[in-house]
Amino acid sequence: MSKPVLYVFAGSVWATAPQLALHELGYGSEIVEEPINLEEGANFHPNFLKLNPNGTLPTLATSKKIYTSTAEVVRYLIDHAPRPAGKPSGTDLLEILHGAAIDPNFSMLSARSEAELKAKGMGIGGRFVRGRQNSLERLARTAPEYKAFYKTKLAQNGFLVSLFDNVAPPDAVRYFIGRSNIHWRNVSQFVSTDLPLYLPASGFIGGEMPGEDDFHLAVWLARTVAVLGGSPNKDGVKSLEKELGGSGSVPQKVKNYWKLWSERESWRILYRRTLH
């Protein structure tokens, strides 16, 4: 029987969740990792859309079923792990982390001022959306069976391209900046007030070992800290201070949790150079 194939990308926030699980749960060669380059829009290729019609990562293909959401993939890895994980999710934390209000992918693309929008257009955000648009335009001409999918994606991603290329209408720019400010207020509220309610005073949510919630929360925090300029080490979480009100504003439980992950071998392997 063929081995399950896990489709990932090194810069993907959610694809890193199952990669953390692989390390923490003792997997070796039981799972094959296959890279899909999101910057080049490889996830929009018809061959990948046949596996996952949403064109998203992570995706896990087994001999019996294809799993197309982060929650499904991580759950599968826990259920089939060589060694047990911490306790399973028992709250609404996963729903919150994957919800639109604090979407970590939007964190990367968001811009709270015209100056920030211009800077992101010249940086990785601009390169990312332009690369995807080029891929979508090319594939839309050659894969008519996915015409509806490409039409939707071209419009969505094209809106971002227009923003980063400074050709969007003023109303669209104001809308995006306003949405970005709301987004970061949501993130600040979550980290400062809501997240500590889910965290223990010490250890992981899953107990002594990371559990289901931990794999999702770890990568959400990593992306958030990355966008704010933080590093993978134990002090990286201090980058949140600029959002939460200055020095000492990061809740102690959040700092303890970050430190715990930053000391794990899995963390040091996946974030050995930088957060993403």
Side-chain angles (χ1 to χ4, degrees):
M1 184 174 66
S2 61
K3 295 179 180 180
V5 178
L6 176 64
Y7 295 89
V8 296
F9 177 62
S12 166
V13 53
W14 292 126
T16 308
Q19 290 182 298
L20 272 180
L22 288 178
H23 287 282
E24 291 290 340
L25 299 175
Y27 280 93
S29 60
E30 299 94 335
I31 305 285
V32 176
E33 293 186 53
E34 182 71 25
I36 297 291
N37 194 320
L38 297 183
E39 291 183 357
E40 296 176 356
N43 54 311
F44 300 138
H45 194 280
N47 288 342
F48 187 74
L49 294 178
K50 290 175 184 177
L51 291 173
N52 183 345
N54 298 317
T56 56
L57 296 179
T59 294
L60 178 68
T62 74
S63 59
K64 295 182 178 179
K65 183 179 178 180
I66 298 174
Y67 300 86
T68 59
S69 74
T70 310
E72 289 179 333
V73 173
V74 170
R75 184 72 252 170
Y76 175 94
L77 295 177
I78 290 173
D79 289 343
H80 297 81
R83 59 173 179 248
K87 67 182 181 181
S89 179
T91 68
D92 61 349
L93 181 58
L94 296 188
E95 182 180 352
I96 293 171
L97 292 173
H98 289 275
I102 57 170
D103 176 10
N105 286 314
F106 187 73
S107 293
M108 182 182 73
L109 298 172
S110 65
R112 287 177 277 182
S113 67
E114 292 189 24
E116 185 180 8
L117 185 59
K118 182 178 180 180
K120 288 203 170 181
M122 295 186 293
I124 187 172
R127 292 195 302 271
F128 180 73
V129 298
R130 293 184 194 102
R132 285 161 60 91
Q133 194 74 0
N134 290 338
S135 176
L136 285 164
E137 290 173 354
R138 183 181 68 256
L139 291 168
R141 294 191 296 267
T142 59
E145 65 271 31
Y146 292 105
K147 180 179 179 180
F149 174 86
Y150 292 136
K151 181 179 180 181
T152 299
K153 289 296 182 182
L154 279 166
Q156 293 172 344
N157 195 75
F159 172 68
L160 293 171
V161 172
S162 72
L163 289 165
F164 290 134
D165 284 350
N166 195 31
V167 294
D171 286 350
V173 174
R174 285 192 292 271
Y175 163 79
F176 189 77
I177 290 173
R179 181 184 169 196
S180 297
N181 278 283
I182 291 171
H183 172 83
W184 281 102
R185 287 197 292 271
N186 291 340
V187 170
S188 297
Q189 168 74 21
F190 174 71
V191 173
S192 63
T193 304
D194 302 333
L195 180 54
L197 301 177
Y198 294 92
L199 295 176
S202 61
F204 294 101
I205 299 173
E208 292 185 6
M209 292 292 294
E212 186 173 13
D213 287 341
D214 294 297
F215 298 125
H216 297 258
L217 177 57
V219 300
W220 183 91
L221 276 172
R223 166 58 63 82
T224 304
V225 168
V227 173
L228 297 174
S231 64
N233 64 33
K234 65 181 178 63
D235 294 323
V237 73
K238 291 182 180 179
S239 69
L240 291 169
E241 291 178 346
K242 65 185 72 173
E243 295 297 322
L244 303 183
S247 178
S249 57
V250 180
Q252 189 61 47
K253 283 185 176 181
V254 177
K255 290 192 287 187
N256 293 346
Y257 188 78
W258 179 270
K259 181 175 183 294
L260 193 63
W261 268 115
S262 72
E263 295 171 346
R264 305 289 289 187
E265 182 181 4
S266 60
W267 184 274
R268 291 174 176 173
I269 290 172
L270 292 171
Y271 297 120
R272 59 185 177 275
R273 294 189 182 92
T274 186
L275 297 168
H276 53 261

